Amino acid sequence: MIYMSEVSKIYSNGLVALADITVEIASGDFVFIVGPSGAGKSTFIKLIFREELPSSGKIVVNGRNVANMSPGDVPYLRRNLGIVFQDFRLLPNKTVYDNVAFAMRVVEAPRREIQKRVYNVLELVGLRHKVRTYPAELSGGEQQRVAIARAIVNNPAVVIADEPTGNLDPDTSWEIMKVLDSINKAGTTVVMATHDKTVVDGMRKRVLAIEKGRIVRDQQKGVYGYED
Ligand code: ADP
Ligand code: ADP
């Protein structure tokens, strides 16, 4: 599903963010990316959706080499990825319905199909009753659930998330994890960078620990492994 071979990322200022990463994430995996601040977790996530390009190495996502993909193919790559951020990134002047529908309108799905699917994913995240609400009227946890609904509306093979619980309290974080777990159990691969020890230790999924740009641990049913 996701395969990296000897991937390095050196930013233009010379900083080595990732060095010689080789890893395989299989279809249906649930993987936490952990490690100290500045270790390279966000860079790892950004390489998957081609927000950043590797300096060297090969990155295959859904059978396509992301590193040498033409710019015109990037939108197709991203349609097969659901992306969730720490700060939600909802459109403030659009309703919950429109925030989620927007991603399907972009791919020109038929209107009936859009309605059905938007209701389905909002049901899945427990927010069907909030369709006409605007993001500012929702709690942080509800906004993140809308963001997850938007991420999965086009039925992506992979959901990638960068610190999705970073702005949420522990109870709310746990609700978000239950949603991600059910999406994963339905067959979607989940890759999540996180600092959240409680979440990682509670879920016992595969853990990839990155330190100074290198993978230092790859553990099934893993733990967070740091004190913070
Ligand atoms: P993490 O998510 O683990 O905190 P990042 O992937 O954000 O780590 O960053 C890894 C390293 O790369 C850090 O030293 C960071 O300062 C550096 N870095 C991140 N983005 C850039 C950038 N656009 N330009 C230069 N250096 C960057
Ligand atoms: P268009 O495809 O022309 O943008 P839609 O029919 O998808 O129009 O949506 C028009 C407006 O009606 C949107 O602002 C949306 O918020 C609202 N809307 C559409 N369908 C629903 C629905 N099933 N539930 C709640 N609001 C809806």
Side-chain angles (χ1 to χ4, degrees), residues 7 15 23 53 55 120 137 158 183 185 188 210 213 217-218 224:
V7 169
L15 196 132
V23 69
L53 279 168
S55 307
N120 277 343
E137 302 170 273
V158 183
I183 291 166
K185 290 208 160 85
T188 307
I210 300 181
R217 175 162 53 102
D218 182 354
Y224 184 68

Side-chain angles (χ1 to χ4, degrees), residues 143-200:
Q143 289 185 55
Q144 193 60 299
R145 283 190 276 152
V146 175
I148 293 171
R150 176 186 59 188
I152 62 173
V153 75
N154 286 322
N155 211 3
V158 183
V159 168
I160 55 181
D162 195 356
E163 302 276 0
T165 63
N167 286 343
L168 305 174
D169 64 60
D171 287 349
T172 311
S173 296
W174 205 245
E175 283 173 28
I176 294 300
M177 293 319 299
K178 281 196 276 190
V179 172
L180 289 175
D181 196 37
S182 67
I183 291 166
N184 174 249
K185 290 208 160 85
T188 307
T189 307
V190 176
V191 182
M192 170 172 160
T194 185
H195 268 116
D196 198 326
K197 178 174 168 39
T198 313
V199 157
V200 176

Side-chain angles (χ1 to χ4, degrees), residues 95 97-98 105 111 115 119 131-132:
T95 62
Y97 183 92
D98 284 335
R105 291 187 183 130
R111 184 181 155 139
Q115 280 211 2
Y119 273 105
V131 277
R132 295 182 187 283

Side-chain angles (χ1 to χ4, degrees), residues 29-204:
D29 261 6
F30 194 125
V31 185
F32 288 118
I33 312 296
V34 306
S37 193
K41 302 182 297 296
S42 286
T43 301
F44 185 95
I45 296 285
K46 284 175 182 167
L47 289 174
I48 296 172
F49 70 101
R50 207 182 189 270
E51 176 75 5
E52 294 287 352
L53 279 168
S55 307
S56 60
K58 188 173 168 186
I59 304 175
V60 179
V61 178
N62 292 331
R64 309 281 313 275
N65 188 348
V66 174
N68 64 13
M69 185 177 273
S70 75
D73 285 341
V74 174
Y76 296 97
L77 167 81
R78 295 200 182 146
R79 273 168 217 166
N80 264 304
L81 295 172
I83 309 172
V84 179
F85 301 96
Q86 177 170 0
D87 56 359
F88 321 135
R89 301 197 191 176
L90 300 175
L91 299 166
N93 56 353
K94 288 190 182 290
T95 62
V96 165
Y97 183 92
D98 284 335
N99 263 281
V100 178
F102 185 74
M104 284 189 86
R105 291 187 183 130
V106 169
V107 301
E108 293 177 356
R111 184 181 155 139
R112 291 281 302 269
E113 194 185 307
I114 293 178
Q115 280 211 2
K116 197 169 152 209
R117 180 72 185 152
V118 171
Y119 273 105
N120 277 343
V121 292
L122 285 172
E123 177 90 47
L124 191 85
V125 300
L127 286 178
R128 192 185 159 120
H129 58 297
K130 297 282 189 183
V131 277
R132 295 182 187 283
T133 309
Y134 287 85
E137 302 170 273
L138 298 172
S139 71
E142 288 171 334
Q143 289 185 55
Q144 193 60 299
R145 283 190 276 152
V146 175
I148 293 171
R150 176 186 59 188
I152 62 173
V153 75
N154 286 322
N155 211 3
V158 183
V159 168
I160 55 181
D162 195 356
E163 302 276 0
T165 63
N167 286 343
L168 305 174
D169 64 60
D171 287 349
T172 311
S173 296
W174 205 245
E175 283 173 28
I176 294 300
M177 293 319 299
K178 281 196 276 190
V179 172
L180 289 175
D181 196 37
S182 67
I183 291 166
N184 174 249
K185 290 208 160 85
T188 307
T189 307
V190 176
V191 182
M192 170 172 160
T194 185
H195 268 116
D196 198 326
K197 178 174 168 39
T198 313
V199 157
V200 176
D201 289 349
M203 297 281 290
R204 303 304 304 262

